[in-house]
Amino acid sequence: MSNNFTMQLKLIHGFSNKIRYNILHVLKNGEQNVTDLLEKVGGSQSNISQHLACLRDCGLIEKRMEGKYYYYSITTPKIIQLMDVLDETILDFEWTGESIECKHHMV
C-alpha cells in the first residue's frame, strides 16, 4: 500500500506557523477562550480566530461552547508529546547565527 503522507503533512502544517505554535504552547496548560488567547499570544481577534480554524482543520485542537464563549483545547495528549519531542530535538542541533529561519519558505 502506498502512502502519500497527506494526513502527516496536514498535522505538520498546523505546527508550521509561529502564532499557531504559540497557541498550542498556551493550550498545553489547559483550555482557553479567544480572549485568554489574545492576552497570552497577542495579535488581533480576527487573526487568532483564523489560526484557531486552521488548527481545528489540521486536527490539533477542538472547541466546545459554554454559554456564549468557545473554549479551545488540544485534541489528544499525543500532540503535547509531539511538541515535547520537537522541543527536545532542537537541542540536538547546532544552530549557527542568531536567527533560525528557512530563507526559502519562511517570512
Side-chain angles (χ1 to χ4, degrees):
M1 179 170 123
S2 110
N3 188 344
N4 66 8
F5 304 108
T6 300
M7 297 308 293
Q8 291 90 336
L9 293 172
K10 188 171 187 173
L11 186 71
I12 290 168
H13 175 75
F15 286 114
S16 68
N17 176 278
K18 287 180 184 181
I19 294 172
R20 289 194 298 269
Y21 203 71
N22 194 0
I23 290 170
L24 290 170
H25 266 274
V26 170
L27 293 177
K28 280 175 70 172
N29 297 319
E31 74 176 7
Q32 306 281 319
N33 64 31
V34 174
T35 303
D36 296 333
L37 289 168
L38 279 168
E39 288 177 13
K40 295 173 183 172
V41 175
S44 69
Q45 183 172 349
S46 173
N47 186 259
I48 294 296
S49 293
Q50 289 175 350
H51 285 296
L52 289 168
C54 177
L55 289 166
R56 285 185 59 230
D57 186 52
C58 292
L60 297 172
I61 66 169
E62 57 194 3
K63 73 177 180 178
R64 69 174 183 84
M65 187 171 212
E66 184 175 308
K68 62 180 182 174
Y69 298 103
Y70 285 108
Y71 289 84
Y72 296 86
S73 59
I74 292 177
T75 55
T76 173
K78 289 183 179 182
I79 300 302
I80 295 172
Q81 292 172 351
L82 183 55
M83 293 173 70
D84 291 342
V85 167
L86 287 171
D87 291 344
E88 292 169 16
T89 301
I90 63 167
L91 300 175
D92 293 338
F93 291 90
E94 292 185 28
W95 303 105
T96 58
E98 296 194 17
S99 175
I100 308 299
E101 55 183 60
C102 174
K103 293 178 179 26
H104 301 287
H105 302 287
M106 295 178 71
V107 176

